[in-house]
Every structure is written in C-alpha cells, then in structure tokens.
Amino acid sequence: MNKIGIFFFSSLKAPTGASTVLRNILLGFDKSNKFSMEIFALDSNNQSRKIAKGFLVVKYNINNFLKKALHFTLTFLSKYSFVFSKYYVYLKYHRNAKTVIQKNIDKVSGLDILFFHDIITPYEFKDKYFKEWKSKKKVIVLHTNGSALKMLFDYFPLLYKNTKTRKFYKEDVALSVLNDMDKIILLSELAQRKFAKIYPELTSKTEVVQNGVNKRKVSKKEIVRSKLVFTTVGTVCKRKGHDILIDAILEMSNLERAAFEFNIIGDGKIKDSLEKICNINDINNVNFLGVSYDVDHYLESTDCFVLASRDEGLPMAIIEAMSFGIPIIASNVGGVPDLVYANVNGYLISPANSSELKNSILDFINCTKQKKIELGENSRKIFNENFTQSTMIDKYKRIFKDVLMKKG
C-alpha cells in the first residue's frame, strides 16, 4: 500500500474551505485498499481521523481568546505597516509550517508522496530538509483562481508593493516549489487556464480536480415558517464579499427585508464593523452567528445559499449547500460557474455588485414555490453528478498512480 502524507501549516479543525477539503480527502481515502493517507497539521497529533469525523472540536479557553485578539491586532496593523505585514505572515504561515514539518519529519521516510495544500509549507520543507524533499514524489493543490500567490498578496498588499518581498515570494517561494512538483492540481478549468498564463512552462504538470463532499441523506420535510431563510458561510471579510451583502440588504425597503432572515456564519476582521452598520440602520433580519462546527444544522433549514465573493477557487461552502439541494446565489468568479448555472440551480451575479445581489435575492423571494423546488432539485442533481467525495477521490487516485509510475 502506498502512503501519502499531507503537510498543512494550519489547523485541521478550522472551519475553512481548505481544512474542510482535507477532512473530506482523508475520510475518502480510508476506503482505499491501495493508498493510505495521514494529515500532519498544527492540531492533528496523530488524531486526524477523529478530527475529520467531528469527534474532536475546538475548546475555547483564555489562550484561544488571546490568539484571536493577537490575530485581529496584527491584521489591523498589517494594513498600514510593511514590517507588521511581514512579521504576521511569518507567524501565521512560515513559523506554523516549520512547526508542523519539524514535529513530523521522522515520518517522512515511510511516505511515498508528499501532498501539499498551500505554497508556504512546501517552501519551508524544501528549505530545511532538502535531502528528504528530493527523495519523494510531490503533489500540490492550489486552492486559488490559478495564481499561487493571489490570496497572500490580496490579504497583505504591502508585501506585493515591496519589490524585494514580491520577488522573494514569486521566485524563491512559488516558482521554486512549483518547478519541483510532479503534479499541480487546480480546482477548475478556469483556474487551470489562468495558471497557464502565469506559468506557461509548467502547464504540462497541471490537472483539474474539483472539490467534493460526501453524499448526504437529505430529508424532504416541509418546514412551515413565515420568512424565507438565506445563509452564507465563510470568513467574514472583503474577499468573501460580506460588505457587498450588507450593502444589498441596505438597499432594500423595510417591507422587502421583512420577508426573510439572513444567517451569516463565520468570523472575521469586518464582522464587528458590519454588525455596527446593521445596528445603526435598524437592520434586524441579519443574524451574525459566528463560527459554527455544526453548519449542517443551519443548512437543513436554509431556503437559499448566498456567496458574494470577490475572488474564489472552488468554494466548498457552495458544494456543501448543493449537497442539501439548496438553490444558490453567487458571484461569477473563480470556479463558481462550474457550480452555479443561471436559472438552473440559482443565480450568477457580477462580483462586487450589490444591486445585482439585491435583485437576485428579491427575485428568489418572489418566484413561485415550484420554481424554488426546481432550483433546489437541480442543485442536488449537479452535486451528485460532479461534486461528490467519491468522484474527487477517484481523480486523486489516478493522479497518485501516475505520479508513482513516473520515473525520476
């Protein structure tokens, strides 16, 4: 049996898209008799399967509170200071990656493939353990729209503005890592095409594997309630377009807002400011629910899922909503058009366009009950045909088999 090790700089328990993907991949490979997999993350401690199955969750204590406070402080300071930007990126990415690698380097000898889901961890691996790096096959997944560094530079624009730092990440980090990969996985054909424009010499190494989640047994219980329920899930930030969402709701009349409730699940640096905007403007139909480790509970009673992102790879939040047979309203960015088809299972809107978002929400509210049912059924159908866990795992198995057969 071939052994695959995922080295991941962050927390496997985190309610983020990348962590959700990793949990689904791990559990999917548990059914394989040809490959075994282990995830080495900040919090795994040889218990990655318990985490993936939801048996271990975050326990909040004073340390969690202090870490969160430090995170928001450094995030704020990073907007205005290159020094703080560089320091925060070191703490959040580089130092964490080093910690994960150092704690688990003794396990590398038993692995056949090193499997990465970010660009910083493989850089630190190559830099500190070059002998082990050269001896193993390597595969990376870019959870982006095709640019290995877009999210980093979007979150920390001062790093991009500094010529020396920009060159370091583009050449010493990204190019150095990608050149050594046996396979580079993109999440959509759009991302693959964009990657080819940025790194034309690496195009032959790329493959597309769309994210997938396990099929759910969805009950068709009819819930009677006076208001429709909209839900969005994700880090509350400008990248995910939560400010656009609030702007869209602000543009509505009191009568229009009275027809629905909106659940915002997640935490992030603009959450507090958006709550204040809602309070000042007497917006009382928006519920800021914070981080939840039981998102399914909310999706079961959701009529329509919304993701107003400015940028995406292939969002797991939409795929999970589709698995429940929920209609979708989402921005036409990244791999979203692979998931959402206008007037088939939802609405595709222009990014950063609050008026289009407002009109789509009102259109869904006002469409017939039968139309709502059809949109939901189509969502479930598209999910079953393209975005299940088994479909994703089958593609990865083929890629791993090809990588292991490749000489050199």
Side-chain angles (χ1 to χ4, degrees), residues 270-301:
I270 65 171
K271 176 174 171 284
D272 291 345
S273 63
L274 294 181
E275 283 189 277
K276 288 178 182 177
I277 291 171
C278 289
N279 290 333
I280 290 170
N281 291 277
D282 293 323
I283 306 297
N284 53 24
N285 67 324
V286 177
N287 308 309
F288 290 88
L289 301 175
V291 174
S292 172
Y293 289 89
D294 188 16
V295 173
D296 290 4
H297 167 73
Y298 294 99
L299 293 180
E300 286 170 353
S301 59

Side-chain angles (χ1 to χ4, degrees), residues 58-71:
V58 173
K59 294 181 179 179
Y60 285 97
N61 53 38
I62 188 63
N63 288 333
N64 295 117
F65 176 79
L66 292 174
K67 286 178 181 178
K68 183 178 178 180
L70 178 63
H71 164 77

Side-chain angles (χ1 to χ4, degrees), residues 142-381:
L142 298 179
H143 293 258
T144 65
N145 67 350
S147 169
L149 297 169
K150 178 171 174 51
M151 287 178 63
L152 178 72
F153 288 147
D154 279 353
Y155 284 132
F156 302 96
L158 296 182
L159 296 185
Y160 182 82
K161 291 179 180 180
N162 182 279
T163 304
K164 186 176 179 180
T165 307
R166 183 172 68 246
K167 181 176 182 294
F168 166 73
Y169 279 104
K170 282 190 170 185
E171 297 180 13
D172 296 354
V173 176
L175 268 180
S176 174
V177 164
L178 296 173
N179 276 324
D180 282 0
M181 288 295 154
D182 295 280
K183 279 293 179 183
I184 301 166
I185 311 299
L186 286 309
L187 302 181
S188 68
E189 292 183 1
L190 180 67
Q192 188 181 42
R193 291 194 296 272
K194 185 162 186 176
F195 180 91
K197 291 179 181 179
I198 302 171
Y199 312 101
E201 71 281 7
L202 299 174
T203 305
S204 62
K205 292 185 177 186
T206 64
E207 295 256 7
V208 173
V209 179
Q210 294 166 319
N211 292 333
V213 301
N214 203 9
K215 287 187 178 181
R216 290 174 167 86
K217 294 180 180 178
V218 181
S219 61
K220 290 295 182 182
K221 293 179 182 177
E222 181 133 358
I223 301 172
V224 179
R225 51 179 177 262
S226 59
K227 294 182 178 183
L228 291 175
V229 176
F230 291 79
T231 298
T232 190
V233 180
T235 303
V236 183
C237 61
K238 286 198 171 182
R239 178 176 178 262
K240 292 291 183 179
H242 289 83
D243 57 319
I244 301 164
L245 169 59
I246 297 303
D247 285 343
I249 295 173
L250 283 169
E251 292 175 17
M252 298 178 188
S253 67
N254 289 333
L255 183 62
E256 289 168 336
R257 288 197 290 266
F260 67 94
E261 293 281 331
F262 209 114
N263 293 329
I264 296 179
I265 300 174
D267 200 355
K269 57 187 177 182
I270 65 171
K271 176 174 171 284
D272 291 345
S273 63
L274 294 181
E275 283 189 277
K276 288 178 182 177
I277 291 171
C278 289
N279 290 333
I280 290 170
N281 291 277
D282 293 323
I283 306 297
N284 53 24
N285 67 324
V286 177
N287 308 309
F288 290 88
L289 301 175
V291 174
S292 172
Y293 289 89
D294 188 16
V295 173
D296 290 4
H297 167 73
Y298 294 99
L299 293 180
E300 286 170 353
S301 59
T302 292
D303 296 293
C304 185
F305 187 88
V306 179
L307 199 68
S309 300
R310 289 178 169 86
D311 175 63
E312 280 292 349
L314 190 73
M316 285 295 292
I318 291 181
I319 295 174
E320 290 186 323
M322 289 170 61
S323 76
F324 280 87
I326 300 172
I328 311 294
I329 299 174
S331 303
N332 189 356
V333 293
V336 172
D338 292 348
L339 301 167
V340 184
Y341 300 87
N343 296 316
V344 176
N345 69 319
Y347 304 78
L348 271 180
I349 61 173
S350 303
N353 191 317
S354 59
S355 295
E356 272 193 45
L357 178 54
K358 166 199 161 186
N359 291 335
S360 295
I361 291 173
L362 295 178
D363 187 69
F364 179 80
I365 291 171
N366 295 321
C367 74
T368 65
K369 179 180 177 181
Q370 184 57 38
K371 178 65 173 178
K372 292 181 177 72
I373 292 172
E374 288 176 4
L375 291 172
E377 289 176 345
N378 288 337
S379 245
R380 177 76 173 172
K381 182 180 178 182

Side-chain angles (χ1 to χ4, degrees), residues 63-83:
N63 288 333
N64 295 117
F65 176 79
L66 292 174
K67 286 178 181 178
K68 183 178 178 180
L70 178 63
H71 164 77
F72 282 112
T73 300
L74 289 174
T75 298
F76 174 78
L77 293 173
S78 295
K79 293 179 183 178
Y80 308 102
S81 168
F82 168 73
V83 173

